[in-house]
Amino acid sequence: MMKSDIILAGVGGQGILSIATILGAAALAGGLCLKQAEVHGMSQRGGDVMSCLRLSSSPIASDIIPRGKADLIVSLEPMEALRYLEFLSPEGWIVTNTVPVVNIGNYPECSGLLSMLQQRPRTVAFDMDAVAREVATARAANMVLLGAAIPFIGIPADKIEDGIRRVFDPKGEKIVESNLAAFRGGLNASAAQQS
């Protein structure tokens, strides 16, 4: 049986909900069951955005992930990754960008955040913005994050690529190819960090 409870986290405008849409499209195309809940109240002003995404090969009763049960936290911002730690299962993974979005006056010292993340036994953390700039465009950091998280989700990479094509196709082939390049860059960077 396939089951993956994922918390997607970030700051408004980073593309967290695009990741949820792509994962949802890939899951449905693969015959999986899906439930999703989102919180994005102040996202237009740089506030936090969170989405619970539950994927399974059998029916799912609720769209909310209980505390201590998430298999994966996927975050485009280090403080947002740490914000949802209470939801992570003891065997769960964190995949996060190390680049902060300093959107509040009392934002914690970044080195302290990164130190807390590095103390976690199952964490993949790197500068996803730099990878995005190198392989595509800075705006594609969310696709780098998606690629980095794929080894922990349970959906084959080619199915996610199909989802990227479906979601971005209306924007044109150049946008599709840029997002695919970023996705593959994240997948490669994640694999390199784990080896």
PDB file of all heavy atoms in Angstrom, residues 36-75:
ATOM      1  N   GLN A  36      -6.538  17.218   0.279  1.00  0.00           N
ATOM      2  CA  GLN A  36      -5.673  18.375   0.451  1.00  0.00           C
ATOM      3  C   GLN A  36      -6.400  19.446   1.248  1.00  0.00           C
ATOM      4  O   GLN A  36      -7.591  19.672   1.069  1.00  0.00           O
ATOM      5  CB  GLN A  36      -5.268  18.937  -0.915  1.00  0.00           C
ATOM      6  CG  GLN A  36      -4.372  20.146  -0.820  1.00  0.00           C
ATOM      7  CD  GLN A  36      -4.006  20.706  -2.177  1.00  0.00           C
ATOM      8  OE1 GLN A  36      -4.357  20.160  -3.210  1.00  0.00           O
ATOM      9  NE2 GLN A  36      -3.306  21.817  -2.175  1.00  0.00           N
ATOM     10  N   ALA A  37      -5.663  20.113   2.122  1.00  0.00           N
ATOM     11  CA  ALA A  37      -6.158  21.269   2.865  1.00  0.00           C
ATOM     12  C   ALA A  37      -5.094  22.354   2.792  1.00  0.00           C
ATOM     13  O   ALA A  37      -3.900  22.057   2.835  1.00  0.00           O
ATOM     14  CB  ALA A  37      -6.439  20.902   4.317  1.00  0.00           C
ATOM     15  N   GLU A  38      -5.510  23.602   2.675  1.00  0.00           N
ATOM     16  CA  GLU A  38      -4.564  24.708   2.536  1.00  0.00           C
ATOM     17  C   GLU A  38      -4.838  25.795   3.550  1.00  0.00           C
ATOM     18  O   GLU A  38      -5.983  26.031   3.927  1.00  0.00           O
ATOM     19  CB  GLU A  38      -4.686  25.333   1.135  1.00  0.00           C
ATOM     20  CG  GLU A  38      -4.372  24.395   0.016  1.00  0.00           C
ATOM     21  CD  GLU A  38      -4.677  24.995  -1.350  1.00  0.00           C
ATOM     22  OE1 GLU A  38      -5.223  26.117  -1.420  1.00  0.00           O
ATOM     23  OE2 GLU A  38      -4.374  24.328  -2.337  1.00  0.00           O
ATOM     24  N   VAL A  39      -3.769  26.474   3.964  1.00  0.00           N
ATOM     25  CA  VAL A  39      -3.870  27.671   4.776  1.00  0.00           C
ATOM     26  C   VAL A  39      -3.016  28.719   4.082  1.00  0.00           C
ATOM     27  O   VAL A  39      -1.804  28.558   3.956  1.00  0.00           O
ATOM     28  CB  VAL A  39      -3.348  27.435   6.213  1.00  0.00           C
ATOM     29  CG1 VAL A  39      -3.375  28.732   7.006  1.00  0.00           C
ATOM     30  CG2 VAL A  39      -4.170  26.368   6.903  1.00  0.00           C
ATOM     31  N   HIS A  40      -3.649  29.772   3.599  1.00  0.00           N
ATOM     32  CA  HIS A  40      -2.894  30.827   2.931  1.00  0.00           C
ATOM     33  C   HIS A  40      -3.552  32.187   3.102  1.00  0.00           C
ATOM     34  O   HIS A  40      -3.665  32.973   2.175  1.00  0.00           O
ATOM     35  CB  HIS A  40      -2.669  30.500   1.445  1.00  0.00           C
ATOM     36  CG  HIS A  40      -3.891  30.099   0.693  1.00  0.00           C
ATOM     37  ND1 HIS A  40      -4.708  30.991   0.048  1.00  0.00           N
ATOM     38  CD2 HIS A  40      -4.436  28.881   0.494  1.00  0.00           C
ATOM     39  CE1 HIS A  40      -5.703  30.339  -0.531  1.00  0.00           C
ATOM     40  NE2 HIS A  40      -5.560  29.061  -0.273  1.00  0.00           N
ATOM     41  N   GLY A  41      -3.939  32.498   4.329  1.00  0.00           N
ATOM     42  CA  GLY A  41      -4.647  33.739   4.616  1.00  0.00           C
ATOM     43  C   GLY A  41      -3.910  35.008   4.244  1.00  0.00           C
ATOM     44  O   GLY A  41      -4.440  35.836   3.514  1.00  0.00           O
ATOM     45  N   MET A  42      -2.708  35.213   4.742  1.00  0.00           N
ATOM     46  CA  MET A  42      -1.982  36.459   4.494  1.00  0.00           C
ATOM     47  C   MET A  42      -0.885  36.279   3.449  1.00  0.00           C
ATOM     48  O   MET A  42       0.086  37.007   3.411  1.00  0.00           O
ATOM     49  CB  MET A  42      -1.364  36.968   5.800  1.00  0.00           C
ATOM     50  CG  MET A  42      -2.399  37.361   6.844  1.00  0.00           C
ATOM     51  SD  MET A  42      -3.473  38.701   6.307  1.00  0.00           S
ATOM     52  CE  MET A  42      -2.334  40.063   6.354  1.00  0.00           C
ATOM     53  N   SER A  43      -1.039  35.307   2.585  1.00  0.00           N
ATOM     54  CA  SER A  43       0.030  34.987   1.651  1.00  0.00           C
ATOM     55  C   SER A  43       0.352  36.132   0.702  1.00  0.00           C
ATOM     56  O   SER A  43       1.478  36.277   0.267  1.00  0.00           O
ATOM     57  CB  SER A  43      -0.315  33.727   0.855  1.00  0.00           C
ATOM     58  OG  SER A  43      -1.477  33.925   0.092  1.00  0.00           O
ATOM     59  N   GLN A  44      -0.630  36.960   0.378  1.00  0.00           N
ATOM     60  CA  GLN A  44      -0.359  38.073  -0.530  1.00  0.00           C
ATOM     61  C   GLN A  44       0.637  39.052   0.079  1.00  0.00           C
ATOM     62  O   GLN A  44       1.302  39.778  -0.620  1.00  0.00           O
ATOM     63  CB  GLN A  44      -1.648  38.842  -0.871  1.00  0.00           C
ATOM     64  CG  GLN A  44      -2.702  37.993  -1.523  1.00  0.00           C
ATOM     65  CD  GLN A  44      -3.703  37.467  -0.501  1.00  0.00           C
ATOM     66  OE1 GLN A  44      -3.366  37.171   0.646  1.00  0.00           O
ATOM     67  NE2 GLN A  44      -4.942  37.333  -0.923  1.00  0.00           N
ATOM     68  N   ARG A  45       0.759  39.082   1.382  1.00  0.00           N
ATOM     69  CA  ARG A  45       1.639  40.026   2.061  1.00  0.00           C
ATOM     70  C   ARG A  45       2.900  39.357   2.585  1.00  0.00           C
ATOM     71  O   ARG A  45       3.510  39.823   3.523  1.00  0.00           O
ATOM     72  CB  ARG A  45       0.880  40.685   3.199  1.00  0.00           C
ATOM     73  CG  ARG A  45      -0.304  41.464   2.692  1.00  0.00           C
ATOM     74  CD  ARG A  45      -0.977  42.196   3.790  1.00  0.00           C
ATOM     75  NE  ARG A  45      -2.183  42.824   3.256  1.00  0.00           N
ATOM     76  CZ  ARG A  45      -2.954  43.612   3.929  1.00  0.00           C
ATOM     77  NH1 ARG A  45      -2.676  43.886   5.181  1.00  0.00           N
ATOM     78  NH2 ARG A  45      -4.015  44.146   3.390  1.00  0.00           N
ATOM     79  N   GLY A  46       3.254  38.210   2.049  1.00  0.00           N
ATOM     80  CA  GLY A  46       4.458  37.520   2.489  1.00  0.00           C
ATOM     81  C   GLY A  46       4.244  36.655   3.711  1.00  0.00           C
ATOM     82  O   GLY A  46       5.202  36.253   4.353  1.00  0.00           O
ATOM     83  N   GLY A  47       2.990  36.361   4.019  1.00  0.00           N
ATOM     84  CA  GLY A  47       2.693  35.504   5.162  1.00  0.00           C
ATOM     85  C   GLY A  47       2.946  34.049   4.851  1.00  0.00           C
ATOM     86  O   GLY A  47       3.253  33.674   3.719  1.00  0.00           O
ATOM     87  N   ASP A  48       2.790  33.204   5.871  1.00  0.00           N
ATOM     88  CA  ASP A  48       3.075  31.786   5.668  1.00  0.00           C
ATOM     89  C   ASP A  48       1.951  31.102   4.888  1.00  0.00           C
ATOM     90  O   ASP A  48       0.800  31.495   4.951  1.00  0.00           O
ATOM     91  CB  ASP A  48       3.349  31.077   6.997  1.00  0.00           C
ATOM     92  CG  ASP A  48       2.134  30.974   7.885  1.00  0.00           C
ATOM     93  OD1 ASP A  48       1.403  31.966   8.006  1.00  0.00           O
ATOM     94  OD2 ASP A  48       1.920  29.897   8.459  1.00  0.00           O
ATOM     95  N   VAL A  49       2.364  30.105   4.116  1.00  0.00           N
ATOM     96  CA  VAL A  49       1.450  29.277   3.332  1.00  0.00           C
ATOM     97  C   VAL A  49       1.740  27.831   3.708  1.00  0.00           C
ATOM     98  O   VAL A  49       2.895  27.423   3.770  1.00  0.00           O
ATOM     99  CB  VAL A  49       1.674  29.467   1.820  1.00  0.00           C
ATOM    100  CG1 VAL A  49       0.796  28.528   1.012  1.00  0.00           C
ATOM    101  CG2 VAL A  49       1.428  30.902   1.408  1.00  0.00           C
ATOM    102  N   MET A  50       0.684  27.066   3.976  1.00  0.00           N
ATOM    103  CA  MET A  50       0.847  25.661   4.329  1.00  0.00           C
ATOM    104  C   MET A  50      -0.239  24.856   3.645  1.00  0.00           C
ATOM    105  O   MET A  50      -1.377  25.294   3.540  1.00  0.00           O
ATOM    106  CB  MET A  50       0.752  25.480   5.836  1.00  0.00           C
ATOM    107  CG  MET A  50       1.066  24.061   6.306  1.00  0.00           C
ATOM    108  SD  MET A  50      -0.344  22.971   6.372  1.00  0.00           S
ATOM    109  CE  MET A  50      -0.911  23.230   8.019  1.00  0.00           C
ATOM    110  N   SER A  51       0.148  23.688   3.168  1.00  0.00           N
ATOM    111  CA  SER A  51      -0.810  22.776   2.561  1.00  0.00           C
ATOM    112  C   SER A  51      -0.547  21.372   3.098  1.00  0.00           C
ATOM    113  O   SER A  51       0.592  20.923   3.120  1.00  0.00           O
ATOM    114  CB  SER A  51      -0.660  22.786   1.032  1.00  0.00           C
ATOM    115  OG  SER A  51      -1.578  21.908   0.436  1.00  0.00           O
ATOM    116  N   CYS A  52      -1.612  20.714   3.557  1.00  0.00           N
ATOM    117  CA  CYS A  52      -1.536  19.296   3.918  1.00  0.00           C
ATOM    118  C   CYS A  52      -1.942  18.518   2.675  1.00  0.00           C
ATOM    119  O   CYS A  52      -3.005  18.769   2.103  1.00  0.00           O
ATOM    120  CB  CYS A  52      -2.521  18.951   5.037  1.00  0.00           C
ATOM    121  SG  CYS A  52      -2.096  19.608   6.637  1.00  0.00           S
ATOM    122  N   LEU A  53      -1.106  17.605   2.252  1.00  0.00           N
ATOM    123  CA  LEU A  53      -1.388  16.794   1.082  1.00  0.00           C
ATOM    124  C   LEU A  53      -1.265  15.330   1.485  1.00  0.00           C
ATOM    125  O   LEU A  53      -0.204  14.899   1.936  1.00  0.00           O
ATOM    126  CB  LEU A  53      -0.399  17.133  -0.037  1.00  0.00           C
ATOM    127  CG  LEU A  53      -0.641  16.529  -1.403  1.00  0.00           C
ATOM    128  CD1 LEU A  53      -1.983  16.974  -1.978  1.00  0.00           C
ATOM    129  CD2 LEU A  53       0.472  16.925  -2.352  1.00  0.00           C
ATOM    130  N   ARG A  54      -2.357  14.607   1.353  1.00  0.00           N
ATOM    131  CA  ARG A  54      -2.382  13.203   1.751  1.00  0.00           C
ATOM    132  C   ARG A  54      -2.626  12.358   0.504  1.00  0.00           C
ATOM    133  O   ARG A  54      -3.638  12.525  -0.174  1.00  0.00           O
ATOM    134  CB  ARG A  54      -3.463  12.967   2.798  1.00  0.00           C
ATOM    135  CG  ARG A  54      -3.294  13.884   4.005  1.00  0.00           C
ATOM    136  CD  ARG A  54      -4.211  13.540   5.126  1.00  0.00           C
ATOM    137  NE  ARG A  54      -3.625  12.385   5.814  1.00  0.00           N
ATOM    138  CZ  ARG A  54      -4.269  11.691   6.731  1.00  0.00           C
ATOM    139  NH1 ARG A  54      -5.501  11.997   7.077  1.00  0.00           N
ATOM    140  NH2 ARG A  54      -3.677  10.676   7.321  1.00  0.00           N
ATOM    141  N   LEU A  55      -1.695  11.457   0.210  1.00  0.00           N
ATOM    142  CA  LEU A  55      -1.769  10.585  -0.954  1.00  0.00           C
ATOM    143  C   LEU A  55      -1.812   9.143  -0.474  1.00  0.00           C
ATOM    144  O   LEU A  55      -1.090   8.774   0.442  1.00  0.00           O
ATOM    145  CB  LEU A  55      -0.545  10.782  -1.844  1.00  0.00           C
ATOM    146  CG  LEU A  55      -0.181  12.217  -2.232  1.00  0.00           C
ATOM    147  CD1 LEU A  55       1.154  12.250  -2.956  1.00  0.00           C
ATOM    148  CD2 LEU A  55      -1.266  12.840  -3.068  1.00  0.00           C
ATOM    149  N   SER A  56      -2.638   8.320  -1.139  1.00  0.00           N
ATOM    150  CA  SER A  56      -2.727   6.925  -0.724  1.00  0.00           C
ATOM    151  C   SER A  56      -3.313   6.080  -1.849  1.00  0.00           C
ATOM    152  O   SER A  56      -4.066   6.571  -2.687  1.00  0.00           O
ATOM    153  CB  SER A  56      -3.615   6.808   0.512  1.00  0.00           C
ATOM    154  OG  SER A  56      -3.754   5.459   0.903  1.00  0.00           O
ATOM    155  N   SER A  57      -2.966   4.800  -1.826  1.00  0.00           N
ATOM    156  CA  SER A  57      -3.557   3.861  -2.779  1.00  0.00           C
ATOM    157  C   SER A  57      -4.937   3.396  -2.313  1.00  0.00           C
ATOM    158  O   SER A  57      -5.649   2.733  -3.056  1.00  0.00           O
ATOM    159  CB  SER A  57      -2.633   2.663  -2.997  1.00  0.00           C
ATOM    160  OG  SER A  57      -2.317   2.063  -1.755  1.00  0.00           O
ATOM    161  N   SER A  58      -5.329   3.750  -1.082  1.00  0.00           N
ATOM    162  CA  SER A  58      -6.670   3.420  -0.579  1.00  0.00           C
ATOM    163  C   SER A  58      -7.358   4.716  -0.139  1.00  0.00           C
ATOM    164  O   SER A  58      -6.705   5.744   0.046  1.00  0.00           O
ATOM    165  CB  SER A  58      -6.572   2.417   0.571  1.00  0.00           C
ATOM    166  OG  SER A  58      -5.808   2.952   1.617  1.00  0.00           O
ATOM    167  N   PRO A  59      -8.668   4.702   0.032  1.00  0.00           N
ATOM    168  CA  PRO A  59      -9.396   5.925   0.394  1.00  0.00           C
ATOM    169  C   PRO A  59      -8.864   6.584   1.671  1.00  0.00           C
ATOM    170  O   PRO A  59      -8.392   5.914   2.595  1.00  0.00           O
ATOM    171  CB  PRO A  59     -10.832   5.433   0.597  1.00  0.00           C
ATOM    172  CG  PRO A  59     -10.928   4.221  -0.274  1.00  0.00           C
ATOM    173  CD  PRO A  59      -9.575   3.562  -0.196  1.00  0.00           C
ATOM    174  N   ILE A  60      -8.963   7.905   1.709  1.00  0.00           N
ATOM    175  CA  ILE A  60      -8.474   8.725   2.817  1.00  0.00           C
ATOM    176  C   ILE A  60      -9.682   9.395   3.467  1.00  0.00           C
ATOM    177  O   ILE A  60     -10.496  10.005   2.779  1.00  0.00           O
ATOM    178  CB  ILE A  60      -7.493   9.799   2.307  1.00  0.00           C
ATOM    179  CG1 ILE A  60      -6.353   9.154   1.530  1.00  0.00           C
ATOM    180  CG2 ILE A  60      -6.964  10.646   3.447  1.00  0.00           C
ATOM    181  CD1 ILE A  60      -5.574  10.113   0.670  1.00  0.00           C
ATOM    182  N   ALA A  61      -9.774   9.310   4.787  1.00  0.00           N
ATOM    183  CA  ALA A  61     -10.946   9.845   5.475  1.00  0.00           C
ATOM    184  C   ALA A  61     -10.865  11.349   5.721  1.00  0.00           C
ATOM    185  O   ALA A  61     -11.871  12.040   5.676  1.00  0.00           O
ATOM    186  CB  ALA A  61     -11.144   9.114   6.804  1.00  0.00           C
ATOM    187  N   SER A  62      -9.669  11.888   5.962  1.00  0.00           N
ATOM    188  CA  SER A  62      -9.545  13.289   6.361  1.00  0.00           C
ATOM    189  C   SER A  62      -8.429  13.972   5.592  1.00  0.00           C
ATOM    190  O   SER A  62      -7.453  13.340   5.205  1.00  0.00           O
ATOM    191  CB  SER A  62      -9.252  13.363   7.864  1.00  0.00           C
ATOM    192  OG  SER A  62      -8.962  14.688   8.251  1.00  0.00           O
ATOM    193  N   ASP A  63      -8.576  15.275   5.402  1.00  0.00           N
ATOM    194  CA  ASP A  63      -7.533  16.029   4.711  1.00  0.00           C
ATOM    195  C   ASP A  63      -6.514  16.643   5.678  1.00  0.00           C
ATOM    196  O   ASP A  63      -5.538  17.241   5.256  1.00  0.00           O
ATOM    197  CB  ASP A  63      -8.136  17.122   3.834  1.00  0.00           C
ATOM    198  CG  ASP A  63      -9.070  18.061   4.599  1.00  0.00           C
ATOM    199  OD1 ASP A  63      -9.245  17.879   5.810  1.00  0.00           O
ATOM    200  OD2 ASP A  63      -9.615  18.976   3.956  1.00  0.00           O
ATOM    201  N   ILE A  64      -6.703  16.460   6.966  1.00  0.00           N
ATOM    202  CA  ILE A  64      -5.789  17.021   7.962  1.00  0.00           C
ATOM    203  C   ILE A  64      -4.813  15.943   8.448  1.00  0.00           C
ATOM    204  O   ILE A  64      -5.207  14.832   8.771  1.00  0.00           O
ATOM    205  CB  ILE A  64      -6.569  17.584   9.170  1.00  0.00           C
ATOM    206  CG1 ILE A  64      -7.583  18.643   8.711  1.00  0.00           C
ATOM    207  CG2 ILE A  64      -5.625  18.148  10.222  1.00  0.00           C
ATOM    208  CD1 ILE A  64      -6.970  19.847   8.042  1.00  0.00           C
ATOM    209  N   ILE A  65      -3.544  16.299   8.505  1.00  0.00           N
ATOM    210  CA  ILE A  65      -2.508  15.379   8.982  1.00  0.00           C
ATOM    211  C   ILE A  65      -2.381  15.560  10.496  1.00  0.00           C
ATOM    212  O   ILE A  65      -2.117  16.671  10.974  1.00  0.00           O
ATOM    213  CB  ILE A  65      -1.155  15.666   8.296  1.00  0.00           C
ATOM    214  CG1 ILE A  65      -1.292  15.469   6.785  1.00  0.00           C
ATOM    215  CG2 ILE A  65      -0.060  14.781   8.878  1.00  0.00           C
ATOM    216  CD1 ILE A  65      -0.093  15.951   5.987  1.00  0.00           C
ATOM    217  N   PRO A  66      -2.553  14.495  11.268  1.00  0.00           N
ATOM    218  CA  PRO A  66      -2.420  14.610  12.727  1.00  0.00           C
ATOM    219  C   PRO A  66      -0.974  14.910  13.145  1.00  0.00           C
ATOM    220  O   PRO A  66      -0.018  14.581  12.433  1.00  0.00           O
ATOM    221  CB  PRO A  66      -2.822  13.221  13.239  1.00  0.00           C
ATOM    222  CG  PRO A  66      -3.507  12.544  12.109  1.00  0.00           C
ATOM    223  CD  PRO A  66      -2.964  13.144  10.853  1.00  0.00           C
ATOM    224  N   ARG A  67      -0.822  15.528  14.307  1.00  0.00           N
ATOM    225  CA  ARG A  67       0.519  15.790  14.851  1.00  0.00           C
ATOM    226  C   ARG A  67       1.279  14.469  14.979  1.00  0.00           C
ATOM    227  O   ARG A  67       0.737  13.468  15.418  1.00  0.00           O
ATOM    228  CB  ARG A  67       0.406  16.460  16.208  1.00  0.00           C
ATOM    229  CG  ARG A  67       0.038  17.908  16.111  1.00  0.00           C
ATOM    230  CD  ARG A  67       0.018  18.559  17.487  1.00  0.00           C
ATOM    231  NE  ARG A  67      -0.202  19.979  17.372  1.00  0.00           N
ATOM    232  CZ  ARG A  67      -1.409  20.543  17.331  1.00  0.00           C
ATOM    233  NH1 ARG A  67      -2.495  19.806  17.385  1.00  0.00           N
ATOM    234  NH2 ARG A  67      -1.526  21.852  17.221  1.00  0.00           N
ATOM    235  N   GLY A  68       2.550  14.514  14.584  1.00  0.00           N
ATOM    236  CA  GLY A  68       3.409  13.349  14.711  1.00  0.00           C
ATOM    237  C   GLY A  68       3.217  12.290  13.642  1.00  0.00           C
ATOM    238  O   GLY A  68       3.780  11.206  13.744  1.00  0.00           O
ATOM    239  N   LYS A  69       2.462  12.589  12.580  1.00  0.00           N
ATOM    240  CA  LYS A  69       2.158  11.581  11.564  1.00  0.00           C
ATOM    241  C   LYS A  69       2.638  11.937  10.152  1.00  0.00           C
ATOM    242  O   LYS A  69       2.558  11.111   9.248  1.00  0.00           O
ATOM    243  CB  LYS A  69       0.650  11.317  11.509  1.00  0.00           C
ATOM    244  CG  LYS A  69       0.073  10.777  12.814  1.00  0.00           C
ATOM    245  CD  LYS A  69       0.627   9.411  13.132  1.00  0.00           C
ATOM    246  CE  LYS A  69      -0.027   8.846  14.381  1.00  0.00           C
ATOM    247  NZ  LYS A  69       0.495   7.545  14.743  1.00  0.00           N
ATOM    248  N   ALA A  70       3.138  13.134   9.928  1.00  0.00           N
ATOM    249  CA  ALA A  70       3.581  13.525   8.585  1.00  0.00           C
ATOM    250  C   ALA A  70       4.825  12.733   8.196  1.00  0.00           C
ATOM    251  O   ALA A  70       5.759  12.580   8.982  1.00  0.00           O
ATOM    252  CB  ALA A  70       3.863  15.019   8.516  1.00  0.00           C
ATOM    253  N   ASP A  71       4.821  12.242   6.975  1.00  0.00           N
ATOM    254  CA  ASP A  71       5.980  11.525   6.442  1.00  0.00           C
ATOM    255  C   ASP A  71       7.051  12.481   5.942  1.00  0.00           C
ATOM    256  O   ASP A  71       8.227  12.125   5.867  1.00  0.00           O
ATOM    257  CB  ASP A  71       5.547  10.625   5.278  1.00  0.00           C
ATOM    258  CG  ASP A  71       4.528   9.605   5.705  1.00  0.00           C
ATOM    259  OD1 ASP A  71       4.833   8.806   6.608  1.00  0.00           O
ATOM    260  OD2 ASP A  71       3.399   9.615   5.157  1.00  0.00           O
ATOM    261  N   LEU A  72       6.625  13.700   5.607  1.00  0.00           N
ATOM    262  CA  LEU A  72       7.526  14.609   4.911  1.00  0.00           C
ATOM    263  C   LEU A  72       7.090  16.054   5.128  1.00  0.00           C
ATOM    264  O   LEU A  72       5.899  16.366   5.028  1.00  0.00           O
ATOM    265  CB  LEU A  72       7.504  14.277   3.421  1.00  0.00           C
ATOM    266  CG  LEU A  72       8.352  15.064   2.453  1.00  0.00           C
ATOM    267  CD1 LEU A  72       9.840  14.901   2.748  1.00  0.00           C
ATOM    268  CD2 LEU A  72       8.067  14.609   1.021  1.00  0.00           C
ATOM    269  N   ILE A  73       8.058  16.926   5.428  1.00  0.00           N
ATOM    270  CA  ILE A  73       7.849  18.375   5.385  1.00  0.00           C
ATOM    271  C   ILE A  73       8.679  18.887   4.222  1.00  0.00           C
ATOM    272  O   ILE A  73       9.886  18.652   4.159  1.00  0.00           O
ATOM    273  CB  ILE A  73       8.290  19.064   6.696  1.00  0.00           C
ATOM    274  CG1 ILE A  73       7.393  18.626   7.855  1.00  0.00           C
ATOM    275  CG2 ILE A  73       8.255  20.589   6.532  1.00  0.00           C
ATOM    276  CD1 ILE A  73       7.844  19.153   9.210  1.00  0.00           C
ATOM    277  N   VAL A  74       8.022  19.563   3.302  1.00  0.00           N
ATOM    278  CA  VAL A  74       8.661  20.124   2.114  1.00  0.00           C
ATOM    279  C   VAL A  74       8.521  21.638   2.228  1.00  0.00           C
ATOM    280  O   VAL A  74       7.402  22.152   2.225  1.00  0.00           O
ATOM    281  CB  VAL A  74       7.976  19.607   0.824  1.00  0.00           C
ATOM    282  CG1 VAL A  74       8.608  20.219  -0.405  1.00  0.00           C
ATOM    283  CG2 VAL A  74       8.033  18.088   0.766  1.00  0.00           C
ATOM    284  N   SER A  75       9.647  22.351   2.341  1.00  0.00           N
ATOM    285  CA  SER A  75       9.569  23.776   2.624  1.00  0.00           C
ATOM    286  C   SER A  75      10.528  24.591   1.773  1.00  0.00           C
ATOM    287  O   SER A  75      11.682  24.226   1.592  1.00  0.00           O
ATOM    288  CB  SER A  75       9.867  24.028   4.106  1.00  0.00           C
ATOM    289  OG  SER A  75       9.792  25.398   4.394  1.00  0.00           O
TER     290      SER A  75
END
